[in-house]
Amino acid sequence: MSEGAATPEELETLFEDAFVVRDAAGLCALFGAGGVLVRGEGPEARGPGQIAAAAEAIWRDGRTYVGGSPRVLQAGELGLLTGRAGIHVVRRDPDGTWRMAIALLDTTTRPAEEAG
């Protein structure tokens, strides 16, 4: 899996893909330094170890993240992605790749419920 994205939209796609295929390492690589993953009202997961553990807990619970088509607002090096399953703050690194700074997920819907 790629370790960065050329646009905020591509980052959302890579983020969703990592969740769907349950790729904890790939998911962690999409976060920038100091990145934070939060599941609903749950605790903040900071750093690769905590982010991987949070994702694995989501998967063990039979849930995932499918973001759909988010609205993307961009101001220079920052972006805000809002959608039905989450809100993300993203930023562009000096090398031009986009990475997650804050990912707030709504994982209350199970995949089978989403299909119905």
Side-chain angles (χ1 to χ4, degrees):
M1 179 172 286
S2 171
E3 290 193 10
T7 65
E9 294 86 352
E10 182 183 7
L11 180 58
E12 171 68 14
T13 299
L14 294 172
F15 188 75
E16 184 177 298
D17 289 351
F19 261 98
V20 170
V21 301
R22 297 180 176 210
D23 179 2
L27 178 71
C28 291
L30 297 173
F31 281 84
V36 178
L37 174 71
V38 182
R39 177 183 178 181
E41 298 296 321
E44 297 175 2
R46 295 179 181 271
Q50 289 183 6
I51 290 171
E56 289 165 2
I58 291 167
W59 298 325
R60 274 193 312 275
D61 196 26
R63 300 180 189 276
T64 193
Y65 170 80
V66 178
S69 299
R71 180 168 185 194
V72 178
L73 304 170
Q74 187 176 336
E77 307 301 308
L78 296 175
L80 177 67
L81 288 72
T82 63
R84 64 178 170 77
I87 300 170
H88 310 306
V89 176
V90 300
R91 83 177 143 232
R92 186 171 23 213
D93 282 347
D95 68 1
T97 59
W98 286 87
R99 300 205 184 271
M100 290 285 176
I102 302 169
L104 174 61
L105 308 182
D106 174 5
T107 57
T108 57
T109 305
R110 293 182 186 271
E113 294 170 354
E114 292 172 355

